[in-house]
Coordinates of all heavy atoms in Angstrom, one line a residue:
G152 N -11.1 -11.3 1.4 CA -9.9 -11.6 0.6 C -8.7 -12.0 1.4 O -7.5 -11.7 1.0
G153 N -8.8 -12.6 2.6 CA -7.7 -13.0 3.4 C -7.1 -11.9 4.2 O -6.0 -12.0 4.8
V173 N -3.3 -12.6 4.8 CA -3.0 -14.0 5.2 C -3.9 -14.9 4.3 O -5.2 -14.9 4.5 CB -3.3 -14.3 6.7 CG1 -2.8 -15.7 7.0 CG2 -2.5 -13.3 7.5
S174 N -3.3 -15.7 3.4 CA -4.1 -16.6 2.6 C -3.3 -17.9 2.4 O -2.1 -17.9 2.6 CB -4.5 -15.9 1.3 OG -3.3 -15.6 0.5
A175 N -4.0 -18.9 2.0 CA -3.4 -20.2 1.8 C -2.5 -20.3 0.6 O -1.6 -21.1 0.6 CB -4.5 -21.3 1.7
D176 N -2.7 -19.4 -0.3 CA -1.9 -19.5 -1.6 C -0.8 -18.4 -1.7 O -0.3 -18.2 -2.8 CB -2.9 -19.4 -2.8 CG -3.7 -18.1 -2.8 OD1 -3.7 -17.4 -1.8 OD2 -4.4 -17.9 -3.8
A177 N -0.5 -17.7 -0.6 CA 0.5 -16.7 -0.7 C 1.2 -16.6 0.7 O 0.6 -16.8 1.7 CB 0.0 -15.4 -1.1
E178 N 2.4 -16.1 0.7 CA 3.1 -15.9 2.0 C 2.5 -14.7 2.6 O 2.1 -13.7 2.0 CB 4.6 -15.7 1.7 CG 5.3 -17.0 1.3 CD 6.8 -16.7 0.9 OE1 7.1 -15.8 0.2 OE2 7.6 -17.5 1.4
P179 N 2.4 -14.7 4.0 CA 1.7 -13.6 4.7 C 2.5 -12.2 4.5 O 3.7 -12.2 4.3 CB 1.7 -14.0 6.1 CG 2.9 -15.0 6.2 CD 3.0 -15.7 4.9

Side-chain angles (χ1 to χ4, degrees):
V173 184
S174 62
D176 58 352
E178 291 175 311

